[in-house]
Structures are given as structure tokens and as C-alpha cells.
Amino acid sequence: MLLRIDHVQLAMPPGGEALAEGFYSGVLGLPRVPKPPRLAARGGCWFESTAVHVHLGVEDPFVPARKAHPAFVVDDLAALQAVCEEAGVEVRPNPDSEPGQGAYVDDPFGNRIELIAAE
């Protein structure tokens, strides 16, 4: 029986760790955590908070996930959208959500990320 999702795995191109950290830690506020030594040699990076775990693995050749995506519930969508815009990250309203309740952004590699306002 499934109990919970442990983490979301997204792909990134080789050498993109600094860009990933700038977005996932700097913009979304997820702390970067060390990868286990046996996995660190593969490249990529992990970001984890209490409730959200995002792992980025190197894929070569790299193709961004434009349709498949994680969806994160956020406590203050308007504030996070402002942080994204200040960082130069385009914010797109989710046309399937009520106004102000959902948005999409792309990570630096073109992977789609959905943001959902907490109820």
C-alpha cells in the first residue's frame, strides 16, 4: 500500500547545479541538502523542507518536462509570485484555477512547476 510521496525527481542538464540552487533555494526557498556520497558523483542536487523534497538528476541529453510537473501548495501565492517576478522568473496564471489561486513558473531548465494557493 502506498503511504506518501518521498520526493519528486526532475531532470537538469549537466553542470546546472548553481542555476538549480539559485531557483529552488533562492526563489522557492527550499534548502539545498547534501546528496548521499554514493549518488553525489552523478551530479545533480537535492532540495528539501519538512514537507517538500525535490531531487534534480542530470540527464544528457536533457529535455525539460513541459507537461508533466510537480504542483506545490504555497502559503502566500501572491508573495511568491512577486519573488519570482523580482528574480526574472515569468509567472503564468493557471487558466484552470480561480483567479489568484494558481500559477505556473519554469525552473531555469524549462521544467514546468505549478504553484497552488493554500486554502
Side-chain angles (χ1 to χ4, degrees), residues 1-46:
M1 178 189 301
L2 300 177
L3 298 177
R4 63 185 171 87
I5 294 175
D6 181 77
H7 66 275
V8 171
Q9 173 85 24
L10 296 171
M12 61 179 263
E17 289 81 2
L19 285 174
E21 187 165 8
F23 178 76
Y24 287 95
S25 289
V27 177
L28 298 185
L30 286 172
R32 185 172 176 178
V33 299
K35 291 179 69 172
R38 70 184 187 286
L39 301 178
R42 299 179 189 170
C45 41
W46 291 6

Side-chain angles (χ1 to χ4, degrees), residues 68-101:
H69 64 277
F72 302 127
V73 176
V74 302
D75 61 356
D76 188 338
L77 180 59
L80 183 54
Q81 287 177 290
V83 169
C84 288
E85 290 169 349
E86 288 172 18
V89 176
E90 178 189 4
V91 177
R92 301 177 308 279
N94 180 343
D96 298 320
S97 295
E98 294 294 323
Q101 298 301 302

